[in-house]
Amino acid sequence: MPLTTTTPGADGPRRRRVLAGGAAALLTAAGTAVLAGCSSADAGAAEHSSAAKRLRQRAGRDAAALLERYDATIAAHAPLAARLRPLRAEVARHAEAFGSAKASPSPSASPSAPPVSVPREEKAALAALADAERRTADARTSALGQAPPELARLLASVAAAGAAHAYLLAGGAA
């Protein structure tokens, strides 16, 4: 029996089913990328190739940019801080996983980066943050085909988390 991701409840699809379906799709894509990859002897070399390093650096920069957006949104809309801190903490862990030097455990402004523009209305600010999470998750999913196996698994996992963040920020749950 196929996995159904859109079994509607009283108010539409159940959150767990939507998230599970999204994660399953990403992991299937990652598995396809892994199967199209190399032998185990070549896998270690592929993980340390210059292309893999560039993918990892890009993912780290993307995570650092998301952190800056979370920090700016929290600074602009203090009432949202309690809701955003757990998601921001996960993004910080993602940045650390990709080796980003900008992954700090607490919000701090970066003096070298241009300030992030945050909409004045809370709802619009959340929508902008959700859009940033969605774009980043999409970029990570697109990179799966070029990534060596271990990096592909990390990218798929973090992309699934980003898709869940976008869902939550867009009003999927409070």
Side-chain angles (χ1 to χ4, degrees), residues 28 44 68 72 93 97 117 137:
T28 300
E68 290 175 15
R93 285 191 293 275
S117 176

Side-chain angles (χ1 to χ4, degrees), residues 121-133:
E121 293 182 19
E122 285 183 4
K123 188 173 182 178
L126 287 173
L129 196 52
D131 188 50
E133 282 275 16

Side-chain angles (χ1 to χ4, degrees), residues 46-152:
E47 291 294 330
H48 300 292
S49 71
S50 60
K53 287 179 184 176
R54 284 191 304 273
L55 279 174
R56 186 176 287 277
Q57 289 170 345
R58 178 179 172 204
R61 282 191 308 270
D62 290 348
L66 272 175
L67 281 175
E68 290 175 15
R69 180 163 290 285
Y70 271 94
D71 292 344
T73 303
I74 290 169
H77 300 286
L80 295 175
R83 180 177 177 184
L84 296 179
R85 276 191 199 109
L87 300 177
R88 187 216 180 271
E90 283 191 27
V91 172
R93 285 191 293 275
H94 299 162
E96 289 172 16
F98 289 119
S100 176
K102 293 184 179 185
S104 61
S106 62
S108 62
S110 172
S112 62
V116 175
S117 176
V118 177
R120 289 185 183 195
E121 293 182 19
E122 285 183 4
K123 188 173 182 178
L126 287 173
L129 196 52
D131 188 50
E133 282 275 16
R134 196 174 299 107
R135 281 192 318 269
T136 303
D138 289 347
R140 289 174 177 155
T141 302
S142 296
L144 290 175
Q146 297 88 35
E150 287 299 315
L151 183 55

